[in-house]
Amino acid sequence: MSDVVISEFMDQTAVDGLRARFDVLYEPALVNDPERLARELRGARALIVRNRTQVNEALLESADSLCVVGRLGVGLDNIDQTLCAARNIQVVPATGANNTSVAEYVIAAMLVLVRGAFGASDSMLAGEWPRSRLIGGEISGRTLGLVGFGGIAREVASRARAMGLEVHAFDPALAEDAPFWKALQVAPVDSLDQLLAGSDVVSLHVPLTPRTRHLVDAEKIALMRPGAVLINTARGGVIDDAALARALRDGRIAGAALDVFETEPMPADSVYRDTPNLVLTPHIAGVTRESNARVSAMIARVVGRILEAA
């Protein structure tokens, strides 16, 4: 019987630190065997997960001694927070620990999509010299629209401003006189429609909730500028995948970079097959060597403190 069960990958130094104080079961592939995971949780006091482990009623039914769930990341849509609260199970996300990694991913994706010069290696090695095809644009002087203006979006904004972009953001949860708008030189906008219509680059930074599911659908995409690009490092369900795929194939918008998807891993028959001007990555925007160490250390520290106090 283990005190701590870790069902997805975690920095080894943080795992070793927990093992020095508790009985730890660390199996990064345990997420792929929910039945065994449920058995291993009997008697365990802590569960540490990333985004794939579904901490739902079926799993929690066997977790008779659980007092804390540590999330190696910030999104909590894979965790039944209501049920955890009812059972006095604390849910601890690694808030802020991977902000830099996601922000740098967004900036990199923006550069790749707008410049359009990266992806010609095969044709060049085949003897082609496609200079005219690869003449893209500059991001300096363009407008970046941020949907949501939390910690990660603010990190994106500070980098984008330094690169010469004008930055707007839509976040109805924030007051327009909050001091960070002025400090970061970001203009708040009144509606999502206004943001989409006025931006050259749109980056999503909202959690997945019933209100944000398919927030960016065909109607919203139709508001975007024809040369605009869309970046999603938030949650896959925020975008209507079929609508975005159609818009890219029709040339309605210029490109998209997606790190998150409604179904992960993506199915072989994804609507994005054979879609042009699309960059896909496997939910890795917030995971670098550096952020993995920070996230893991934070969760190990907090989970350890909760267990020792229990």
Side-chain angles (χ1 to χ4, degrees):
M1 185 181 299
S2 304
D3 285 319
V4 182
V5 175
I6 306 169
S7 62
E8 299 181 64
F9 71 91
M10 187 174 183
D11 182 68
Q12 191 63 50
T13 300
V15 175
D16 293 342
L18 284 169
R19 277 189 172 138
R21 302 153 64 194
F22 308 101
D23 186 353
V24 175
L25 173 65
Y26 173 48
E27 291 192 20
L30 195 54
V31 61
N32 299 319
D33 191 346
E35 291 184 2
R36 182 171 166 237
L37 174 57
R39 292 196 301 271
E40 296 291 355
L41 281 176
R42 294 191 183 105
R45 296 190 295 149
L47 171 64
I48 297 178
V49 305
R50 287 192 180 269
N51 64 293
R52 292 184 57 214
T53 304
Q54 298 302 307
V55 186
N56 51 27
E57 184 175 5
L59 185 65
L60 291 173
E61 186 176 350
S62 61
D64 51 356
S65 301
L66 202 63
C67 61
V68 59
V69 176
R71 168 70 168 91
L72 297 165
V74 293
L76 298 175
D77 49 286
N78 61 311
I79 300 173
D80 189 330
Q81 298 176 71
T82 302
L83 183 55
C84 285
R87 295 186 50 181
N88 294 317
I89 299 170
Q90 294 189 57
V91 177
V92 182
T95 304
N98 66 357
N99 286 7
T100 296
S101 297
V102 180
E104 289 186 358
Y105 176 102
V106 172
I107 296 297
M110 184 192 320
L111 287 164
V112 167
L113 290 170
V114 173
R115 185 61 187 267
F118 309 97
S121 297
D122 288 343
S123 59
M124 298 235 352
L125 291 169
E128 300 177 22
W129 198 249
R131 293 187 72 189
S132 59
R133 175 166 60 85
L134 298 179
I135 297 176
E138 300 172 354
I139 63 169
S140 180
R142 297 185 186 236
T143 299
L144 168 64
L146 300 168
V147 182
F149 199 50
I152 292 173
R154 293 172 205 174
E155 293 270 4
V156 173
S158 67
R159 288 161 173 76
R161 287 289 302 149
M163 300 178 75
L165 284 96
E166 181 177 342
V167 183
H168 298 170
F170 169 68
D171 194 326
L174 300 177
E176 289 192 10
D177 60 353
F180 48 76
W181 294 111
K182 185 175 181 180
L184 292 170
Q185 300 180 63
V186 173
V189 298
D190 296 329
S191 70
L192 177 59
D193 290 3
Q194 180 184 345
L195 182 95
L196 294 173
S199 300
D200 300 298
V201 179
V202 175
S203 184
L204 305 180
H205 299 278
V206 292
L208 180 61
T209 68
R211 294 187 66 180
T212 62
R213 183 172 293 279
H214 289 187
L215 178 68
V216 180
D217 57 13
E219 180 181 342
K220 298 301 185 187
I221 293 171
L223 297 173
M224 296 175 66
R225 296 174 175 178
V229 299
L230 177 65
I231 302 168
N232 188 14
T233 56
R235 283 295 181 269
V238 175
I239 291 177
D240 181 334
D241 291 328
L244 177 57
R246 283 195 302 271
L248 289 169
R249 292 193 188 104
D250 294 345
R252 180 64 192 78
I253 62 173
L258 308 177
D259 184 59
V260 287
F261 309 90
E262 284 202 80
T263 301
E264 298 180 4
M266 295 177 69
D269 60 348
S270 169
V271 295
Y272 289 117
R273 289 186 66 85
D274 303 318
T275 298
N277 302 322
L278 180 62
V279 176
L280 305 176
T281 54
H283 206 142
I284 205 73
V287 185
T288 58
R289 289 183 292 273
E290 295 86 352
S291 72
N292 185 40
R294 289 193 301 269
V295 165
S296 300
M298 175 186 289
I299 293 302
R301 182 172 60 254
V302 176
V303 166
R305 187 164 60 236
I306 291 171
L307 292 183
E308 289 175 341

